[in-house]
Amino acid sequence: MVAMRPIIIAANWKMNSTPADAGTLAATIAAATNAADVVRVICPPYVCLAPVREALAATGVAVGAQNVHDKAAGAYTGEISAAMLAGLADWCIVGHSERRRDQCETDELIGRKLARCLESGLRPIWCVGEQLEEREAGRAEAVVRAQVARALSASGLGGGEGAASIVIAYEPVWAIGTGRTARGADAATMAEAIRGALQESGWAHDAAERVPVLYGGSVTAASIAEFLAEPAIDGALVGGASLKPDEMAGIVARAAATAAARRAAAR
Ligand code: 13P
């Protein structure tokens, strides 16, 4: 039997907060979301990692970065390597669609970033997702499967290496920051397709089934329930609402209820 997957709520603060205010916001969110059965992660901007880590030290909330470079070190002005994040972050978002769009990140580059994360003991939150035209053309699943296959091929993780560490976030691009969400059932179908794509890339069935798949895209306290009602979905990567302690309280409370229900059902 495949082990139960954890429920994870990750906050992507994007380019918001400053070193002066990030620690207070993180501590407020931690206090508002105290739930033992939910893995909570806050991903602030790089310059806020240290104050946020300090503020979260005794809370059980983990800290993540929002990006990492695909090389280990070298002449890359302004960039941050995985090794530099040691002691600052335990998680790292990789391949966010805003970086695919604005920094032209490719699946191959993203695959190399996954490898750098795993080498340095960072747990990657690997983002995939289709554009609106691709969904409307009926190609959403093919697009996301291809994203998974290309990145894995470039990462050298085709044998399931990192399966215990990797988390995948399905973020349909048209749902990000738009107030529009996918349907829970569509997100669940995509989560299964993603696990299928991992197997097509050479992962064993059990390794693929162990990977948590989160939904991201305009998640709020009001919309989270539809996603967590799907057994294939294991939590959320939250953007705008993750800066609001009340919203995070509602999201994590629902996640805690889901974790308890899944645990009871697995007995
Ligand atoms: P929003 O929740 O603001 O739509 O952002 C989602 C996202 O991009 C999380 O990484």
Side-chain angles (χ1 to χ4, degrees):
M1 194 185 124
V2 175
M4 238 182 89
R5 295 185 296 261
I7 302 280
I8 301 169
I9 301 295
N12 177 7
W13 283 4
K14 307 192 179 184
M15 199 172 73
N16 295 290
S17 77
T18 67
D21 60 30
T24 303
L25 178 58
T28 306
I29 290 171
T33 60
N34 207 350
D37 282 350
V38 179
V39 176
R40 293 166 294 160
V41 186
I42 294 180
C43 304
Y46 283 137
V47 295
C48 300
L49 286 170
V52 165
R53 189 169 182 94
E54 199 182 320
L56 295 178
T59 64
V61 181
V63 181
Q66 296 176 12
N67 178 42
V68 70
H69 199 262
D70 69 306
K71 304 283 192 315
Y76 304 103
T77 302
E79 297 292 345
I80 302 288
S81 73
M84 289 176 194
L85 294 171
L88 288 171
D90 296 311
W91 294 73
C92 185
I93 297 171
V94 170
H96 193 278
S97 66
E98 286 154 10
R99 297 195 58 82
R100 292 177 188 256
R101 179 194 68 200
D102 300 335
Q103 275 75 35
C104 304
E105 292 201 0
T106 62
D107 292 306
E108 288 72 18
L109 179 88
I110 290 161
R112 294 195 296 276
K113 291 184 176 201
L114 290 174
R116 295 296 86 69
C117 282
L118 295 176
E119 284 161 13
S120 291
L122 287 168
R123 292 196 65 178
I125 301 174
W126 167 18
C127 302
V128 295
E130 82 284 359
Q131 308 276 342
L132 183 59
E133 315 79 78
E134 294 165 337
R135 175 153 290 272
E136 285 175 342
R139 295 198 297 117
E141 204 177 300
V143 165
V144 170
R145 280 174 172 271
Q147 289 175 341
V148 170
R150 280 194 299 262
L152 271 191
S153 163
S155 71
L157 305 171
E161 300 85 349
S165 173
I166 288 175
V167 171
I168 298 182
Y170 167 53
E171 299 208 317
V173 176
W174 47 271
I176 294 178
T178 58
R180 210 175 144 186
T181 61
R183 303 309 313 176
D186 290 340
T189 301
M190 190 64 88
E192 298 295 9
I194 287 168
R195 296 191 181 100
L198 293 171
Q199 289 180 66
E200 276 161 25
S201 287
W203 286 31
H205 174 263
D206 282 8
E209 285 298 315
R210 262 201 308 275
V211 171
V213 177
L214 315 183
Y215 169 76
S218 296
V219 168
T220 62
S223 66
I224 184 73
E226 176 172 353
F227 300 101
L228 291 176
E230 300 290 341
I233 304 283
D234 305 303
L237 179 55
V238 187
S242 76
L243 294 158
K244 300 177 186 155
D246 288 354
E247 285 288 332
M248 285 299 280
I251 291 167
V252 173
R254 168 54 60 175
T258 301
R262 290 189 188 178
R263 200 171 347 88
R267 270 196 211 115

